[in-house]
Amino acid sequence: MEILSLQNPRVKAWAQLQEKKHRDKQNKFVVEGIHLVQEALLSGADVECVAFDMAKGIPRELREIPDNGRRVEWIGVTEAIISKVSHASTPQPVFAVVRKERETWDKLFADIGRPVIVLDGLQDPGNVGTIIRSADASGAAGVILGKGCADLYNPKTLRSTMGSVFHLPIIEGELTELLPRAREKGARLVTTSLEGKTSAFHYDFTGFCWIVIGSEGSGVSPEAAALVDDAIIIPMPGRAESLNAAMAASVLLFEALRQREYR
């Protein structure tokens, strides 16, 4: 199939997906570039269609992915259409429209030996995406995005995940509801604090723990802080005053991995 007109209704609907209100209304989002489209297809995400620059053809990396019975529509489009739909200043020659899938809360308890990372009000899409990538890389059980976090389907967030958005459960929810439920199921809630007495490298991450990371500017909200069991500190013998949220989360996630697998 080919679409050539910028006025085509589908093109207009795709372009609207740059805005959160339309992503919510259509229950879809766009991923751009060969790598992200490849990850979406390989992971079995609910891909509605893949649009590619008809002048260049379907990228070789995507042609080699087995179909596995999926009904993915492949659509040749013009460079102008790709530019209209793309968020990037230099658009890549392919994008996919993906239907959102609601993850279930139960998935976070499938393996209680791995930590869950909880984000409380992180507004920077790059930090949110990087933490999802670190959670994936370190083998975390999942990620929770609390109220006030950057939109998971923001193009900058998706780009920062480098495809990890398709690899592990990511749940959006109200922390004042989710955190007490996690404690009821035996999770230990831990966060970082400059007033923390225990070093992150002496804390026991081998049990069932949820790691709460606060916002870049104000840290963990008072509501979430009231529910946390333990406050720990990341030692910083150098002269830097602090780490950003993504760096702090990555340190804790990989310390948890070290304790689980490389003691």
Side-chain angles (χ1 to χ4, degrees), residues 5 13 26 47 69 78 89 94 106 121 138 149 176 180 183 186 189 196 206 213 222 228 234 242-243 253-254 258:
S5 171
Q26 295 186 41
V47 178
T78 64
S89 53
V94 63
D106 293 339
S138 62
C149 284
T176 54
R183 290 179 75 183
L189 308 181
T206 59
I213 300 295
V228 168
I234 298 175
S242 63
L243 300 175
L253 284 164
F254 279 92
R258 185 195 67 77

Side-chain angles (χ1 to χ4, degrees), residues 173-187:
E174 180 56 63
L175 298 189
T176 54
E177 297 175 8
L178 294 178
L179 295 181
R181 289 169 67 186
R183 290 179 75 183
E184 288 172 9
K185 289 184 174 287

Side-chain angles (χ1 to χ4, degrees), residues 8 15 25 32 40 52 70 80 110 126 132 173 187 196 207 226-227 233:
N8 184 285
K25 184 177 180 180
E32 302 176 40
F52 58 92
R70 286 185 305 249
I132 291 169
L227 298 168
I233 188 167

Side-chain angles (χ1 to χ4, degrees), residues 133-208:
R133 188 177 177 187
S134 289
D136 177 23
S138 62
V143 180
I144 291 179
L145 304 184
K147 191 176 180 180
C149 284
D151 180 28
L152 173 61
Y153 304 105
N154 179 304
K156 291 181 180 177
T157 309
L158 292 169
R159 199 158 50 243
S160 296
T161 72
M162 289 296 290
S164 290
V165 66
F166 299 116
H167 298 166
L168 75 173
I170 304 171
I171 292 172
E172 298 173 279
E174 180 56 63
L175 298 189
T176 54
E177 297 175 8
L178 294 178
L179 295 181
R181 289 169 67 186
R183 290 179 75 183
E184 288 172 9
K185 289 184 174 287
R188 192 90 184 159
L189 308 181
V190 58
T191 191
T192 57
S193 169
L194 294 175
E195 283 75 48
K197 300 292 188 253
T198 303
S199 158
F201 304 124
H202 292 131
Y203 186 79
D204 183 5
F205 287 103
T206 59
F208 182 25

Side-chain angles (χ1 to χ4, degrees), residues 1-20:
M1 180 179 178
E2 294 179 355
I3 295 179
L4 306 178
S5 171
L6 288 170
Q7 303 308 314
N8 184 285
R10 293 189 73 177
V11 174
K12 291 180 178 180
W14 295 340
Q16 288 178 333
L17 295 175
Q18 290 187 24
E19 298 181 48
K20 184 180 187 304

Side-chain angles (χ1 to χ4, degrees), residues 46-93:
D46 192 0
V47 178
E48 177 183 283
C49 65
V50 178
F52 58 92
D53 186 335
M54 57 194 297
K56 298 177 181 177
I58 299 173
R60 175 182 53 80
E61 298 91 333
L62 304 182
R63 290 199 304 267
E64 296 172 354
I65 296 175
D67 159 295
N68 291 334
R70 286 185 305 249
R71 294 184 177 179
V72 177
E73 191 177 7
W74 294 80
I75 304 173
V77 298
T78 64
E79 188 175 339
I81 288 174
I82 290 178
S83 295
K84 181 172 182 175
V85 176
S86 175
H87 181 268
S89 53
T90 307
Q92 297 195 51

Side-chain angles (χ1 to χ4, degrees), residues 118-137:
V118 181
L119 307 187
D120 181 18
L122 263 72
Q123 298 176 343
D124 183 275
N127 275 344
V128 171
T130 299
I131 291 171
I132 291 169
R133 188 177 177 187
S134 289
D136 177 23

